[in-house]
Structure formats: structure tokens, C-alpha cells
């Protein structure tokens, strides 16, 4: 993967999505018709830091209690995903990169 500091990266969308010093990839979409949709975009900030930007849309149950249970479950799952990603990004002792 090319991580040129100045120009576009290999994964950059190279269009109107790039602005204010950021580079943004094309969207990767996971769509479960009528149920859920997730959109992932890789972003490199003007400072050179890479991020994953993720939007998730999930259909909630019509009953309030069931919808609240879904939300609690989603928050727990998101916390686990974010924690796992943060741990994977930490440098390991004795290893370069």
C-alpha cells in the first residue's frame, strides 16, 4: 500500500470526497435489504493519520422495549469492535511497525 504523504494514496477516491487536506476511499457497503446497512470509508487526515469511518443503520423493532434491547446489544457490540480494533493497532513490544 502506498502511503505517500503528499499526493493521493492507492486507495483514495480521488474526487470531491478529498478536501480540506483529507483523503477518502470509495465507500464499502454491506446491505441487508430492509434490515441493516453499514458503510465503511477509509480516511487519511491532513495530519497523516488513517482512520476507519463507519456508519451503521439497523431497523429497530416496533415495540419500544424490544428496540431498547436492540440498542443495548448494538452498543455492547460496537464497544467490543472498537476495543478490538484499538488493541490490534497497538505496537507490540519487540516488533517494528
Amino acid at each position: 500500500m502506498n502511503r505517500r504523504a503528499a499526493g493521493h494514496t492507492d486507495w483514495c477516491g480521488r474526487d470531491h470526497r478529498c478536501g480540506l487536506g483529507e483523503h477518502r476511499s470509495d465507500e464499502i457497503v454491506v446491505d441487508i435489504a430492509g434490515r441493516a446497512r453499514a458503510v465503511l470509508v477509509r480516511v487519511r487526515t491532513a495530519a497523516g493519520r488513517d482512520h476507519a469511518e463507519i456508519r451503521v443503520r439497523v431497523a429497530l423493532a416496533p415495540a419500544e422495549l424490544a428496540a431498547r434491547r436492540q440498542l443495548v446489544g448494538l452498543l455492547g457490540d460496537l464497544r467490543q469492535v472498537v476495543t478490538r480494533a484499538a488493541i490490534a493497532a497497538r505496537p507490540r513490544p519487540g516488533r517494528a511497525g
Side-chain angles (χ1 to χ4, degrees):
M1 229 176 286
N2 188 352
R3 293 181 63 119
R4 294 184 304 247
H8 295 284
T9 65
D10 292 340
W11 49 261
C12 180
R14 292 178 175 82
D15 60 15
H16 68 278
R17 291 169 287 208
C18 294
L20 302 175
E22 283 189 342
H23 291 277
R24 302 175 72 79
S25 71
D26 292 329
E27 293 180 341
I28 298 170
V29 178
V30 176
D31 197 9
I32 302 171
R35 303 276 182 219
R37 180 179 177 93
V39 180
L40 182 135
V41 175
R42 184 172 177 175
V43 179
R44 176 160 303 150
T45 66
R49 179 72 189 227
D50 287 359
H51 297 272
E53 183 177 285
I54 304 168
R55 294 186 318 267
V56 179
R57 183 178 183 151
V58 178
L60 295 176
E64 183 63 22
L65 184 57
R68 286 180 185 227
R69 285 186 182 136
Q70 281 179 280
L71 291 169
V72 168
L74 279 167
L75 287 173
D77 291 346
L78 285 171
R79 181 183 182 115
Q80 184 179 9
V81 166
V82 170
T83 300
R84 188 171 56 235
I87 289 169
R90 277 194 268 186
R92 295 160 98 186
R95 294 194 180 204

